[in-house]
Amino acid sequence: MNTSYFAEIILPLNLEGTFTYHLTDSDLQQIKIGQRVAVPFGTQKLYTGVIHSIHQNKPELYKTKGIYAFLDDEAIVTPTQIKFWEWIANYYVCSLGDVFRNAFPSALKLESQTFVRLIIDNYEKIEELNDNEFLVYEALKLRQLISVEEAALIIDDKSAIPTLKLLIDKGIIQLDEKIQEKYTPKIENYVRIHPNIKGNDAAFIQILDSLNRAQKQREALLQLITIETQKPNEPLKVSEFVKMGTTNSIVKTLAEKGAVEIYQHQTSRVDETETEKEEIHQLTLKQTEVLEKIKAEFSAKQTVLLHGVTSSGKTEIYIKLMEQVIKKGNKVLYLLPEISVTTQIVHRIKKHFGERVGVYHSKFNQNERVELWKKTLNVEFDIVIGPRTTLFLPFTSLGLVIVDEEHESSYKQIDTKPFFQGRDMAMVLSSMMNAKTLLGSATPSIESYYNARQGKYGYIELNERFGNIKLPDIKLVDLKKAQKEKELTHDISHILRDEIIEQLKEKKQVILFQNRRGYAPILECNSCGNTPECPNCDVSLTYHKFSNQLKCHYCGYAQAKPNRCVSCGSVELNTKGLGTEQIEHQLQDIFPEARIRRMDVDAMRGKFAYEKLIEDFENHEVDILIGTQMLTKGFDFGNVNFVGVIRADSLLNFPDFRAHEKAFQLLTQVSGRAGRREDQGKVLIQSYQPEHLVLQNVTTYNYQKTMSDILYERKEFYYPPFARIIKLRFKHKNKERLDKTAEQLVKLLKPNFDSRCLLGPEAPSVGRINNLYITDVMIKVLPNQSPMKVKQLIRKEIDRLCTIAAYRSVRIDVDVDPM
DNA sequence: AGCACGCCGACT
DNA sequence: GTCGGCGTGCTC
């Protein structure tokens, strides 16, 4: 045995670095960088790891373990991915295991769901097996596969892993790596008249004659003809056809005789309504010009920012560009904000490029994820479309990465480590693969705009809408004035009301925007002023009228709405603030005839809620749609000429340095939903402060002015893009310990920073979530400092802090470039 | 992250 | 008398 070789293995743990395992001679023969392996860890655990590297440096400080099994014949993680993961771990101050865990589909991580199978079923030296080994052996003789979990049940004691290890060593069992193969991708069968006889009367009559003695088949065929004539271009599922009075075997026989054709078609609700829509038109002169400019910029720069107003036809430009990249033999990654992934853009691209487009979606189940991973690995796609997680698929030879709606905050991962910014990582991945990155937006983020203006990125503007339709006319409505003059019903000014009436009269659909869900964010007692708060978080509960509940939007806590004030018993409970649900009620009151629907997370629960709503909207089964920011993402409908904003104020008064930037982007994007296809659209924005600079700039579409105002402030107060921010977020259930720990870390860091650059600790606006107190420390890294050195310093000081028991239990999250 | 080990309170 | 709470320490 040659034990002088070792492998560094990446494990899905929140621990620094890789783990060393020794290799046997037979291991050495099959091992490949990027392969999955099953390895024992601790006394109990079996983890799926990925081979990071192979070397001969025997670790002196601990005893190594061996690899249980190789789970793949070939590598399923590419060298570039490993490099990419390391880059992310380094930049976002987290462990490689954190990245691995997030980047890798969990179905490929077997762990305790791992199965073992027997390879020798007549083992001769049974008497040499110990009790536990024998029990597992017997169990396996009865059933082919058992999971590690089940084995742990059979042998009472928790010695399952060691026992299995012994059996593996004796060559009696092996880990079964083929579990995913049990699942097959779900494909729906469709039926249509065979193309050979469709429109060929002679052939058709011949077939029909031959069916003279098969009445059932004849009937079925005639029925299919009728359906196809009535609803041409609408795919018909075999299962649906069978429901209309025939059987599967009849359809099958017809297919064998060449009368009908059974074909596969990816199932998607939206697909079905959209099948016959829009071919990609030839590019307009303007679009061609932009395309050429992009290519010219790419020859000198790695990244180009395409700043094109809403509805300017960016998608067509992307499509042409992608075509050209693919023609050269390269692949394309097309990133979109989460929610848009289900919408029209994807269908247009699929329509244009067909089967070689892979679409990733966070609602995908594990099997679909694995399938997409494997197909990407096998280079079966020319284009892969998806949200930020799509970055982690095993690409080869990327030529272009597109980040559409580049300014969208959903590119930043905020819930799980690593807290990465997808747009930025797209550029990193792209440069690792010598590809180009195209950022697209109607309202670029200030960082991208600044980088472009500094010459770091190419910058191209597209100022006119497709077909030269004018940008919507945006007007402000002064709510103070409306209130004073009694020109207000509930929260709808009469100007807005009359506009809606006008639109409905013309059979147009109306979109209204209110950036808050629920009915009212606060329920307040009229006599004592008490407001119900969440028992787990430091926020007041939001009133949801539909369910008659008070809900916490942070932890999900819900309780029935009390009839009396819990504090003083008064029945006079008032709502304060304004949510989408309340607007919905008000609208129903003002427009009793209108069909009103709501689009927010509450209304979009359930797998196809979003698709269904889009379908209904498209079919004009909705007159007025009221929604939150969800509306701004990929919502593109021709029959909308008017958009209303109920209250812009909450956007402007956000206590955050990005508030103005976000408000401008959001309002511009919402306005962009109006008048996309024919006439100039109209927009009304209601606000109590119509004189606000941001609102004024929105009405004049003055992006440049807005950005230069904001840049001025950012420079003054050392905010991005003039400094990089690193936020340290401390969480603990004990407030005192939390504050002490945060203060201690600040004390340790202080000598290295200017006082303007080390802020806090300070509790965020919601100081407790899910019974954990929170406090933040903000570090501003100035251009003359090395961000990497600062991060190393932070790592070092956190480690030092952790040597003291009292501080160790406080969780510290490092958020680089927070939102 | 998990999990074992170890030390203190409320239960069959 | 034990079950189980979570504080502490370790994992290749």
Side-chain angles (χ1 to χ4, degrees):
Chain A
M1 226 227 282
N2 185 351
T3 50
S4 60
Y5 279 89
F6 299 89
E8 291 302 313
I9 295 177
I10 307 168
L11 294 179
L13 301 168
N14 180 21
L15 291 168
E16 277 316 306
T18 52
F19 295 83
T20 314
Y21 287 80
H22 57 250
L23 300 172
T24 64
D25 284 347
S26 80
D27 287 346
L28 270 171
Q29 303 205 343
Q30 52 182 323
I31 193 167
K32 291 180 180 107
I33 308 270
Q35 239 173 349
R36 280 181 313 158
V37 286
V39 292
F41 191 81
T43 49
Q44 289 297 305
K45 287 297 264 184
L46 182 70
Y47 282 116
T48 300
V50 165
I51 304 291
H52 172 273
S53 53
I54 301 160
H55 61 85
Q56 282 187 282
N57 312 320
K58 186 179 164 64
E60 300 300 336
L61 296 169
Y62 47 84
K63 210 166 149 273
T64 55
K65 291 181 179 170
I67 291 168
Y68 272 12
F70 286 82
L71 302 177
D72 308 292
D73 297 332
E74 297 300 325
I76 73 162
V77 176
T78 66
T80 310
Q81 281 182 292
I82 294 179
K83 211 170 110 197
F84 187 44
W85 292 355
E86 284 178 320
W87 202 99
I88 292 175
N90 203 14
Y91 186 89
Y92 288 104
V93 193
C94 67
S95 73
L96 194 53
D98 281 329
V99 185
F100 172 50
R101 198 152 28 141
N102 189 257
F104 207 64
S106 54
L108 289 171
K109 289 181 272 176
L110 310 176
E111 285 150 36
S112 44
Q113 264 71 257
T114 310
F115 284 77
V116 292
R117 67 161 70 241
L118 222 47
I119 43 177
I120 299 176
D121 59 3
N122 54 345
Y123 189 65
E124 285 159 12
K125 294 174 249 170
I126 286 182
E127 66 283 356
E128 285 179 16
L129 297 179
N130 69 33
D131 289 357
N132 282 338
E133 288 172 316
F134 183 74
L135 282 170
V136 173
Y137 176 69
E138 284 297 307
L140 274 166
K141 275 173 106 174
L142 291 171
R143 295 203 288 139
Q144 287 203 327
L145 287 174
I146 66 171
S147 71
V148 174
E149 238 168 32
E150 289 167 313
L153 291 174
I154 297 168
I155 44 184
D156 60 342
D157 174 32
K158 283 177 182 175
S159 51
I161 296 282
T163 304
L164 294 178
K165 164 94 175 104
L166 289 169
L167 287 167
I168 290 169
D169 289 347
K170 292 189 172 122
I172 302 171
I173 64 168
Q174 67 178 192
L175 291 179
D176 188 278
E177 64 272 30
K178 301 258 162 13
I179 4 172
Q180 304 95 25
E181 259 93 88
K182 287 196 294 199
Y183 307 104
T184 42
K186 191 187 159 204
I187 295 167
E188 197 79 54
N189 279 324
Y190 289 74
V191 61
R192 64 184 167 211
I193 300 290
H194 200 285
N196 288 346
I197 64 164
K198 183 140 190 167
N200 179 345
D201 289 350
F204 179 71
I205 288 171
Q206 200 189 342
I207 290 265
L208 207 58
D209 281 348
S210 75
L211 294 176
N212 251 339
R213 296 180 49 205
Q215 235 8 76
K216 283 271 165 70
Q217 291 174 35
R218 199 162 185 250
E219 274 170 32
L221 185 60
L222 288 169
Q223 192 183 6
L224 187 58
I225 289 271
T226 321
I227 294 167
E228 285 197 5
T229 333
Q230 279 166 1
K231 293 177 178 172
N233 300 321
E234 198 165 298
L236 179 67
K237 284 182 194 156
V238 173
S239 54
E240 276 166 23
F241 186 51
V242 166
K243 272 189 214 146
M244 297 170 185
T246 175
T247 67
N248 269 317
S249 63
I250 291 175
V251 177
K252 220 169 149 190
T253 322
L254 282 172
E256 278 161 19
K257 289 182 179 168
V260 303
E261 187 185 43
I262 293 172
Y263 63 104
Q264 271 100 46
H265 183 83
Q266 204 115 61
T267 5
S268 158
R269 295 181 73 110
V270 192
D271 258 356
E272 288 164 25
T273 60
E274 283 226 308
T275 22
E276 23 162 350
K277 264 232 201 90
E278 87 186 286
E279 288 301 307
I280 301 305
H281 344 231
Q282 284 292 304
L283 293 192
T284 61
L285 223 60
K286 186 81 197 168
Q287 286 173 320
T288 314
E289 195 188 310
V290 168
L291 180 65
E292 290 311 314
K293 273 195 206 158
I294 293 172
K295 289 197 289 184
E297 290 282 2
F298 272 152
S299 64
K301 303 210 162 111
Q302 211 258 124
T303 306
V304 169
L305 172 62
L306 173 58
H307 180 183
V309 294
T310 52
S311 210
S312 56
K314 291 193 286 289
T315 315
E316 284 85 358
I317 298 173
Y318 297 156
I319 288 176
K320 275 280 177 286
L321 195 60
M322 290 194 279
E323 251 174 16
Q324 296 176 5
V325 170
I326 293 165
K327 215 173 270 169
K328 283 195 207 143
N330 287 319
K331 309 296 167 213
V332 179
L333 166 60
Y334 187 145
L335 294 180
L336 283 167
E338 183 61 64
I339 198 79
S340 324
V341 176
T342 47
T343 61
Q344 294 117 323
I345 291 178
V346 175
H347 294 109
R348 270 159 81 186
I349 291 168
K350 272 195 121 166
K351 196 152 183 88
H352 198 256
F353 293 97
E355 288 303 299
R356 293 191 58 85
V357 178
V359 180
Y360 198 75
H361 195 280
S362 60
K363 279 186 182 166
F364 274 6
N365 64 34
Q366 287 302 328
N367 300 321
E368 291 168 309
R369 285 170 199 230
V370 169
E371 205 185 312
L372 205 72
W373 183 284
K374 293 198 166 159
K375 283 188 171 173
T376 308
L377 190 67
N378 298 334
V379 203
E380 287 178 38
F381 299 123
D382 289 329
I383 302 172
V384 181
I385 308 177
R388 55 166 199 270
T389 3
T390 316
L391 277 168
F392 294 119
L393 289 173
F395 296 104
T396 28
S397 67
L398 279 180
L400 174 68
V401 180
I402 296 173
V403 185
D404 200 8
E405 307 296 345
E406 161 282 322
H407 64 281
E408 272 290 328
S409 56
S410 69
Y411 280 119
K412 170 86 178 177
Q413 178 148 302
I414 47 167
D415 43 7
T416 25
K417 279 198 255 185
F419 305 122
F420 69 99
Q421 163 58 10
R423 178 234 298 144
D424 298 347
M425 287 312 99
M427 290 186 264
V428 170
L429 180 68
S430 180
S431 88
M432 278 183 178
M433 303 191 91
N434 284 319
K436 302 291 181 190
T437 313
L438 180 61
L439 307 177
S441 175
T443 50
S445 66
I446 203 157
E447 285 88 350
S448 297
Y449 175 71
Y450 181 76
N451 282 332
R453 281 287 132 125
Q454 294 290 105
K456 255 178 94 182
Y457 308 160
Y459 180 65
I460 293 153
E461 267 184 287
L462 182 51
N463 290 326
E464 51 193 64
R465 286 193 140 184
F466 185 79
N468 245 332
I469 299 162
K470 278 198 195 154
L471 283 163
D473 176 41
I474 306 178
K475 291 235 158 58
L476 299 171
V477 178
D478 187 344
L479 284 175
K480 270 181 305 197
K481 193 163 152 249
Q483 209 164 35
K484 207 158 63 196
E485 294 169 4
K486 304 241 175 334
E487 291 278 305
L488 198 65
T489 307
H490 304 301
D491 291 281
I492 314 286
S493 68
H494 292 170
I495 305 170
L496 176 58
R497 180 196 64 192
D498 296 344
E499 188 58 51
I500 297 173
I501 292 172
E502 197 59 34
Q503 293 291 329
L504 296 182
K505 215 184 277 169
E506 286 174 32
K507 298 270 173 271
K508 291 288 181 190
Q509 288 161 287
V510 169
I511 289 178
L512 297 176
F513 174 79
Q514 168 64 13
N515 200 27
R516 187 166 246 156
R517 65 196 177 94
Y519 188 86
I522 293 171
L523 192 70
E524 195 183 55
C525 170
N526 246 4
S527 49
C528 75
N530 176 282
T531 60
E533 288 181 355
C534 176
N536 311 315
C537 312
D538 283 347
V539 283
S540 54
L541 293 166
T542 300
Y543 173 41
H544 287 244
K545 189 164 191 159
F546 174 73
S547 53
N548 197 36
Q549 277 181 323
L550 300 179
K551 289 187 195 171
C552 171
H553 287 181
Y554 287 85
C555 72
Y557 169 87
Q559 63 175 62
K561 184 200 165 215
N563 292 324
R564 297 170 170 277
C565 172
V566 258
S567 157
C568 72
S570 160
V571 287
E572 277 184 61
L573 299 175
N574 253 357
T575 56
K576 265 174 77 179
L578 192 54
T580 43
E581 219 186 294
Q582 187 171 168
I583 302 289
E584 190 185 10
H585 277 83
Q586 296 183 0
L587 290 167
Q588 207 59 261
D589 184 40
I590 303 173
F591 310 104
E593 303 291 311
R595 293 162 299 178
I596 299 165
R597 289 280 290 275
R598 189 159 52 88
M599 179 160 148
D600 52 34
V601 258
D602 300 301
M604 294 299 106
R605 295 261 154 76
K607 205 163 181 179
F608 288 112
Y610 185 77
E611 286 83 347
K612 180 85 176 83
L613 179 61
I614 287 197
E615 207 176 296
D616 292 351
F617 197 86
E618 182 109 301
N619 297 337
H620 204 155
E621 284 161 26
V622 179
D623 298 316
I624 304 176
L625 182 65
I626 164 87
T628 57
Q629 1 200 343
M630 262 186 173
L631 282 174
T632 56
K633 301 173 190 178
F635 213 77
D636 174 13
F637 291 108
N639 198 36
V640 177
N641 260 357
F642 174 73
V643 169
V645 177
I646 305 293
R647 245 190 227 182
D649 302 80
S650 59
L651 292 171
L652 301 168
N653 305 330
F654 230 73
D656 172 80
F657 72 90
R658 283 186 217 273
H660 289 182
E661 181 192 355
K662 279 193 195 149
F664 181 86
Q665 289 164 340
L666 204 54
L667 291 170
T668 307
Q669 293 283 350
V670 172
S671 304
R673 305 305 111 194
R676 292 174 78 85
R677 302 260 168 91
E678 298 152 26
D679 313 319
Q680 184 185 17
K682 277 191 217 169
V683 178
L684 282 178
I685 299 176
Q686 301 194 126
S687 168
Y688 283 98
Q689 36 188 331
E691 66 290 343
H692 197 290
L693 256 178
V694 169
L695 294 184
Q696 292 294 332
N697 285 337
V698 168
T699 60
T700 53
Y701 290 94
N702 207 337
Y703 175 85
Q704 259 79 12
K705 175 76 167 45
T706 311
M707 290 302 143
S708 63
D709 287 353
I710 296 173
L711 280 172
Y712 181 81
E713 281 172 30
R714 299 266 183 108
K715 189 167 192 171
E716 194 86 332
F717 299 103
Y718 305 103
Y719 278 110
F722 301 100
R724 288 158 183 273
I725 293 184
I726 300 171
K727 190 172 81 181
L728 307 177
R729 171 152 282 193
F730 299 73
K731 293 182 190 169
H732 199 267
K733 58 178 190 295
N734 179 325
K735 191 161 190 328
E736 260 167 72
R737 183 177 287 199
L738 175 85
D739 290 337
K740 277 223 173 85
T741 308
E743 276 155 26
Q744 183 60 28
L745 189 63
V746 168
K747 205 188 263 173
L748 290 171
L749 290 170
K750 211 156 214 163
N752 304 283
F753 295 94
D754 186 312
S755 61
R756 293 166 305 185
C757 294
L758 180 61
L759 306 162
E762 190 182 55
S765 54
V766 180
R768 184 181 53 127
I769 295 175
N770 245 329
N771 283 319
L772 289 177
Y773 287 93
I774 302 167
T775 194
D776 291 337
V777 169
M778 187 159 73
I779 296 166
K780 292 175 180 170
V781 184
L782 299 179
N784 60 13
Q785 280 172 299
S786 148
M788 225 40 249
K789 285 220 175 96
V790 172
K791 287 172 201 171
Q792 274 160 18
L793 180 76
I794 292 169
R795 273 199 155 108
K796 196 183 88 193
E797 297 301 352
I798 289 178
D799 281 348
R800 181 145 33 131
L801 203 69
C802 284
T803 56
I804 299 156
Y807 299 134
R808 197 166 30 220
S809 61
V810 175
R811 187 183 152 152
I812 307 174
D813 279 336
V814 180
D815 188 353
V816 178
D817 307 330
M819 289 300 257

